[in-house]
Amino acid sequence: MYGAGDVRVQDRPDPKIRQPTDAIVRVVLSCVCGSDLWPFKSMPATDTGRPMGHEFLGVIEETGSGVTRLKAGDLVVTPFAYCDNTCDFCRRGLQSSCRHGGRYGLDGVDGGQGEAVRVPHADGTLVKLPVGEDSPLLPSLLTLSDVLGTGHHGAVTAGVEPGDSVLVIGDGAVGLSAVIAAKRLGAEQIILMGRHTDRTDLGRDFGATDVVAERGEEGVARARELTGGDGADRVIEAVGTRQTLDTAFGAVIDGGTISRLGVPQFTDGPMGFEMIMRNITLTGGASPTRAYIEELMPDVLNGTIDPGRVFDRTVGLDQVPDAYRAMADRRALKVLIRP
Amino acid sequence: MYGAGDVRVQDRPDPKIRQPTDAIVRVVLSCVCGSDLWPFKSMPATDTGRPMGHEFLGVIEETGSGVTRLKAGDLVVTPFAYCDNTCDFCRRGLQSSCRHGGRYGLDGVDGGQGEAVRVPHADGTLVKLPVGEDSPLLPSLLTLSDVLGTGHHGAVTAGVEPGDSVLVIGDGAVGLSAVIAAKRLGAEQIILMGRHTDRTDLGRDFGATDVVAERGEEGVARARELTGGDGADRVIEAVGTRQTLDTAFGAVIDGGTISRLGVPQFTDGPMGFEMIMRNITLTGGASPTRAYIEELMPDVLNGTIDPGRVFDRTVGLDQVPDAYRAMADRRALKVLIRP
């Protein structure tokens, strides 16, 4: 990406092992993330550009001398950020703050929207998939890379428990994944707030019991009406604007929890008297997705959940710029890339 | 209180039973709260004035026909807000949001800084004390009314667990009570941030392992140094200014929790990118102090904790205006009132 709206498909040097802990992965399946759309809308123009993509699965082509858990030929999935999975933060399940972690597309690391990637800290980062390259489960397994783990992080940090009412704000792939996660954790009522009928219909398939198309104050009123007047026990905010944050505060019950998953497009939010008097907890954040892969994978493999349904289009590398445009224009929910 | 700086001692009508669930309590011991200082500094002048005080213990003089758990002659303590203790919010431990609750000094209810108070929902609100009017434990038992329960709420919502490092920001009575509460829940390291040596010395007696006198960025640096560079697992913010909130964010570890107890003197706070990337949880609020009285009282009665030491001055009703001034000028930590 060279700037807002400027995505180019170009040849880059083949990745090579640089550190003993590296692995080279040939990308089998990748995709475009909702968070890729923020720079697509606002990134200042640059001469050098920046490799994009942080969700992929693929086959290991080569491993550094320090890699012991994986070998060439393994089909693996990556969480959207790499990590050593051994430091104190990783051990407590906060791989997003790994002491040796980092992000794809930065610091000389390739992006996942390409043919091959050098993965740092491969032993810690990559998880072997027990299926073949031709498995029809690959799209669902790819969601372990980001959206499913992110939705799960929202449900976990929101404290979803059996019987809870949960409001999910946002009908993008993360919001829809949060519906899956909330249902998986036993939520009794799952209200999905979104106005794209095709997406909210998918949300109903995933477990949403109610859909609210209204936004702002009307959305708050409708969500409160659906929860007996008091608001939802848990709110998962999967958009990231100040308006959706205000909606979350308006629609959460006193003593309830708001978990945020959307990258916030603002700096300050309402932290004053009302939040204190109502004992509202604000939590969530960048998902330590590596922490959740082993827990979620069995449900994907046995078909209990089918998160790959968030992909509604597939492109080759040449069409990646079109994929960005389609997602930015809301013509596509989430686009799969087969290099 | 008739306005900022304008506290008057005046005769008011004797309270009478109005509802069957009321009780009339003769006040034995009351006090001035740190939160009383906010209106003392900023309340617009009024002609009618407002009864003050929300922390007291006393003897029941009369009960309404619907009061069944208490009787005349009982020595009782009140949480700082009254509640029915039976509604759905109360049952889940959020008495601060009771559907029939309210605050002393408002809506025709007396303040606790006086001779007698009509207490609504007496059965739900008041808790009988198993000691006599002359017990030396009364000051410590009075802290069950607010500061001890509030400090405990901070430690509970911050999620303090055995072995944790806890930073308490603020050396007022609530901050010091939070030190007691954090120690009681097993915190291994308790850093108290405050610059009044007499108060921080008391904090050390209560269980603080370290004291940080610096504020702002220097305070953050010192707190991080004391926690191995990463910040405290839990931060209890017991002041309520934007500066102390920023300090809390600066001094909490990634994935950690900030619990706020101070009434915020601002509307917006930092809810942007950093909070998300670092997975910081913001929680706390008005303590449902009624929920904690039975849990905390045994430790007061058996002397395990001695929270009454936060009182460093005692006055009669005539000197209450002086008490406000002394606390506002930081000449007194917390003033006891014996009507």
Side-chain angles (χ1 to χ4, degrees):
Chain A
M1 183 176 292
Y2 283 81
D6 187 4
V7 177
R8 306 180 198 170
V9 183
Q10 295 180 326
D11 278 328
R12 283 172 44 79
D14 286 341
K16 306 256 179 252
I17 299 288
R18 293 192 201 172
Q19 302 290 333
T21 47
D22 288 348
I24 306 299
V25 174
R26 170 175 57 83
V27 176
V28 172
L29 215 51
S30 176
C31 57
V32 182
C33 182
S35 71
D36 292 335
L37 298 180
W38 295 118
F40 186 72
K41 287 173 185 166
S42 64
M43 179 174 153
T46 67
D47 290 333
T48 48
R50 178 187 146 187
M52 296 297 293
H54 50 257
E55 302 159 83
F56 59 95
L57 53 78
V59 175
I60 293 182
E61 296 205 315
E62 188 186 353
T63 57
S65 58
V67 175
T68 60
R69 292 180 47 253
L70 302 163
K71 61 180 191 310
D74 286 348
L75 182 69
V76 292
V77 64
T78 184
F80 66 82
Y82 56 85
C83 59
D84 63 22
N85 213 26
T86 56
C87 78
D88 51 346
F89 281 113
C90 286
R91 282 198 308 271
R92 69 170 92 158
L94 199 70
Q95 282 85 344
S96 49
S97 289
C98 171
R99 293 194 189 274
H100 303 104
R103 315 196 62 144
Y104 291 107
L106 298 174
D107 306 318
V109 177
D110 312 283
Q113 292 162 7
E115 293 174 320
V117 177
R118 177 179 68 89
V119 177
H121 296 289
D123 265 345
T125 304
L126 300 171
V127 180
K128 190 173 172 179
L129 296 172
V131 298
E133 239 186 281
D134 56 351
S135 165
L137 289 173
L138 288 201
S140 279
L141 290 166
L142 178 60
T143 67
L144 294 169
S145 195
D146 189 342
V147 288
L148 182 60
T150 295
H152 180 68
H153 186 56
V156 167
T157 55
V160 173
E161 292 184 357
D164 278 348
S165 59
V166 178
L167 169 66
V168 176
I169 302 178
D171 58 8
V174 168
L176 295 172
S177 299
V179 170
I180 294 175
K183 182 180 178 190
R184 195 176 159 277
L185 293 177
E188 188 172 302
Q189 183 181 32
I190 302 174
I191 304 167
L192 175 60
M193 193 173 275
R195 48 171 59 188
H196 302 87
T197 316
D198 50 339
R199 299 178 180 194
T200 55
D201 284 349
L202 182 55
R204 287 187 196 270
D205 285 356
F206 282 165
T209 53
D210 303 275
V211 168
V212 171
E214 293 86 351
R215 292 185 184 186
E217 284 181 23
E218 285 176 20
V220 169
R222 185 79 188 111
R224 283 190 167 256
E225 193 184 320
L226 287 166
T227 52
D230 294 316
D233 299 319
R234 320 285 168 192
V235 178
I236 301 173
E237 195 284 289
V239 179
T241 67
R242 177 65 196 255
Q243 187 198 34
T244 52
L245 180 68
D246 290 340
T247 300
F249 273 98
V252 71
I253 195 171
D254 284 17
T257 301
I258 299 168
S259 176
R260 293 192 295 165
L261 300 176
V263 180
Q265 302 304 304
F266 54 88
T267 55
D268 280 16
M271 281 195 187
F273 194 68
E274 193 195 339
M275 185 177 176
I276 286 287
M277 294 314 293
R278 295 180 57 211
N279 269 280
I280 295 168
T281 296
L282 183 68
T283 186
S287 172
T289 294
R290 176 64 185 83
Y292 303 131
I293 293 179
E294 284 91 345
E295 178 183 351
L296 296 170
M297 197 191 299
D299 281 10
V300 175
L301 292 172
N302 68 26
T304 308
I305 57 177
D306 192 6
R309 291 181 65 196
V310 297
F311 297 108
D312 56 353
R313 184 179 296 200
T314 304
V315 301
L317 279 180
D318 286 346
Q319 299 138 297
V320 167
D322 297 329
Y324 274 79
R325 256 172 254 126
M327 282 177 62
D329 297 345
R330 300 284 188 271
R331 283 180 286 114
L333 171 53
K334 192 169 176 73
V335 179
L336 212 50
I337 302 168
R338 287 189 191 272
Chain B
M1 183 176 292
Y2 283 80
D6 187 4
V7 177
R8 306 179 198 171
V9 183
Q10 294 180 326
D11 279 330
R12 284 172 44 79
D14 286 342
K16 306 257 179 253
I17 298 286
R18 292 192 201 172
Q19 301 290 332
T21 47
D22 287 349
I24 306 300
V25 174
R26 171 175 56 82
V27 176
V28 171
L29 215 52
S30 176
C31 57
V32 182
C33 182
S35 70
D36 293 334
L37 299 180
W38 294 118
F40 186 70
K41 287 174 185 165
S42 64
M43 178 173 153
T46 67
D47 291 334
T48 49
R50 178 188 146 184
M52 296 296 294
H54 50 257
E55 302 160 83
F56 60 94
L57 53 78
V59 175
I60 292 183
E61 296 205 314
E62 189 186 352
T63 56
S65 58
V67 176
T68 60
R69 292 180 48 252
L70 301 162
K71 61 181 191 307
D74 286 349
L75 182 69
V76 292
V77 65
T78 185
F80 66 83
Y82 56 85
C83 59
D84 62 23
N85 212 26
T86 56
C87 78
D88 52 345
F89 280 113
C90 287
R91 283 199 307 273
R92 70 170 91 159
L94 199 70
Q95 282 85 344
S96 50
S97 290
C98 171
R99 293 193 188 274
H100 303 103
R103 314 196 63 143
Y104 291 107
L106 299 174
D107 305 319
V109 177
D110 313 284
Q113 293 162 7
E115 293 174 320
V117 177
R118 177 178 67 89
V119 177
H121 297 289
D123 265 346
T125 304
L126 300 171
V127 179
K128 190 173 173 180
L129 297 172
V131 296
E133 241 186 277
D134 56 351
S135 166
L137 290 173
L138 289 201
S140 279
L141 290 166
L142 178 60
T143 67
L144 294 169
S145 196
D146 190 341
V147 289
L148 182 60
T150 295
H152 180 67
H153 187 56
V156 167
T157 55
V160 173
E161 291 183 0
D164 278 349
S165 59
V166 179
L167 169 65
V168 176
I169 302 177
D171 58 10
V174 168
L176 295 171
S177 299
V179 170
I180 293 175
K183 182 180 178 189
R184 194 175 161 278
L185 293 178
E188 188 171 301
Q189 182 181 31
I190 302 174
I191 305 167
L192 176 60
M193 193 173 277
R195 47 172 61 187
H196 303 87
T197 316
D198 50 340
R199 299 178 180 194
T200 54
D201 284 350
L202 182 55
R204 287 189 195 269
D205 285 357
F206 282 165
T209 53
D210 304 273
V211 168
V212 171
E214 292 85 351
R215 291 184 184 186
E217 283 181 24
E218 285 176 19
V220 169
R222 185 79 187 108
R224 283 189 168 256
E225 192 183 321
L226 287 165
T227 52
D230 293 317
D233 299 319
R234 320 287 169 190
V235 177
I236 302 174
E237 195 284 290
V239 179
T241 66
R242 177 65 197 256
Q243 187 197 33
T244 51
L245 180 69
D246 289 339
T247 300
F249 273 99
V252 70
I253 195 170
D254 283 17
T257 301
I258 299 168
S259 177
R260 294 192 296 164
L261 300 175
V263 180
Q265 303 303 305
F266 55 88
T267 55
D268 280 15
M271 281 195 187
F273 194 67
E274 193 195 339
M275 185 176 176
I276 287 286
M277 294 315 293
R278 295 181 57 211
N279 270 280
I280 295 168
T281 295
L282 184 68
T283 185
S287 172
T289 294
R290 177 63 186 83
Y292 303 130
I293 293 180
E294 285 91 343
E295 177 182 352
L296 296 170
M297 198 191 298
D299 281 9
V300 175
L301 292 172
N302 69 25
T304 308
I305 57 177
D306 192 6
R309 292 181 65 195
V310 297
F311 297 108
D312 57 353
R313 183 179 297 201
T314 304
V315 301
L317 279 181
D318 287 347
Q319 299 138 297
V320 167
D322 297 330
Y324 274 79
R325 256 172 254 126
M327 282 178 61
D329 296 345
R330 301 282 188 274
R331 284 180 286 114
L333 171 52
K334 192 169 176 72
V335 180
L336 212 50
I337 303 169
R338 286 188 192 274

